[in-house]
Amino acid sequence: MQVLDQSRWERKEIFDFFSRLEYPFYAVTLPVEVTPVWTFARENQVSFYYMMIWLCTKALNQVPAFRLRVRGDQVVQLDQTDPSFTSLRPGAQAFRIISTPWVADPLAFCARARQADEAQTAFLLGEDTDSLIYFSCTPWFDFTALTNEHSLDRDDTVPRLAWGRWYEENDRLWVHLSVEVNHRLIDGLHIGQMKEALDREIAALGSRNC
């Protein structure tokens, strides 16, 4: 972890401007082609949901702005962020929140996520930390916009990602990916960089399927 020298930070004026707002949060929804993810998950018999979490976490960690957090008067740069995701077991009505470290191997991550998911019986284990990324999914329906619940805490700088049910277009599979961030740290430029990184990672995954 590194503490930023705000006196030399090129976004300092932007940060200060949005720090005056009571609600500095905003969200965008992006179409993402996920055919390679679906194919990889099916061929390796792993969860499409876990694979999307793995890919999105990898993409976000490639963009330094998504690893920034506000802690008191400081802005810190994390070395890595890890996923925290909702899970609803078949037939259940109440979901749980699972947190597990991100690892570089996608199949190893899926195995760890499944083990953590199956083992956890409580709604939430451990303390919530700002080193996480929050993930969710609505596999029952697609959406083109999404809002998230949270306290009106301007220091809440944890990104929130979610997607709906996949849909078909031109014989390809897509999802609408919602990305909610704190404008104190993340601009549209950074979301664009994350989307480019995610598309690259999905394409690289597709090359494994060949």
Side-chain angles (χ1 to χ4, degrees):
M1 185 188 75
Q2 176 186 1
V3 178
L4 263 64
D5 180 355
Q6 295 185 45
S7 67
R8 303 177 62 183
W9 187 22
E10 63 179 355
R11 287 194 74 259
K12 184 62 165 65
E13 287 184 292
I14 300 173
F15 175 79
D16 289 343
F17 176 83
F18 286 108
S19 293
R20 296 195 296 267
L21 301 182
E22 293 183 5
Y23 192 86
F25 311 100
Y26 72 99
V28 298
T29 303
L30 311 168
V32 178
E33 204 236 302
V34 295
T35 309
V37 189
W38 181 268
T39 302
F40 183 89
R42 181 184 60 194
E43 291 182 350
N44 290 275
Q45 298 183 324
V46 295
S47 164
F48 173 80
Y49 183 41
Y50 295 160
M51 279 304 305
M52 283 293 295
I53 293 170
W54 182 84
L55 285 160
C56 289
T57 303
K58 185 176 184 181
L60 262 67
N61 276 319
Q62 293 176 31
V63 182
F66 278 91
R67 290 185 280 110
L68 293 176
R69 298 293 187 269
V70 173
R71 293 180 176 174
D73 295 331
Q74 295 181 331
V75 178
V76 302
Q77 180 94 67
L78 302 177
D79 297 325
Q80 175 178 304
T81 60
D82 294 309
S84 179
F85 59 91
T86 60
S87 176
L88 183 67
R89 290 174 178 167
Q93 296 292 317
F95 69 90
R96 291 159 296 116
I97 297 177
I98 315 295
S99 298
T100 190
W102 185 89
V103 294
D105 182 87
L107 298 182
F109 172 81
C110 288
R112 291 187 180 191
R114 186 186 69 250
Q115 292 169 0
D117 196 342
E118 292 175 349
Q120 184 170 319
T121 57
F123 168 65
L124 178 67
L125 288 181
E127 294 185 2
D128 201 10
T129 74
D130 67 0
S131 63
L132 298 172
I133 306 167
Y134 297 154
F135 287 97
S136 190
C137 177
T138 61
W140 314 278
F141 57 85
D142 180 30
F143 61 76
T144 55
L146 180 76
T147 59
N148 287 286
E149 76 299 328
H150 49 74
S151 301
L152 293 180
D153 178 5
R154 286 175 293 184
D155 289 348
D156 182 351
T157 45
V158 175
R160 291 160 166 80
L161 276 70
W163 53 90
R165 181 179 176 84
W166 58 263
Y167 63 96
E168 288 191 61
E169 187 173 287
N170 298 325
D171 297 322
R172 309 295 288 175
L173 299 181
W174 298 74
V175 297
H176 284 116
L177 174 68
S178 171
V179 184
E180 182 179 294
V181 295
N182 191 317
H183 215 333
R184 297 173 72 192
L185 299 180
I186 298 175
D187 305 325
L189 169 68
H190 306 121
I191 294 179
Q193 292 171 345
M194 182 276 295
K195 175 61 163 55
E196 290 177 357
L198 179 58
D199 287 342
R200 285 196 305 268
E201 293 301 333
I202 291 176
L205 193 69
S207 68
R208 298 191 185 193
N209 299 328
C210 298

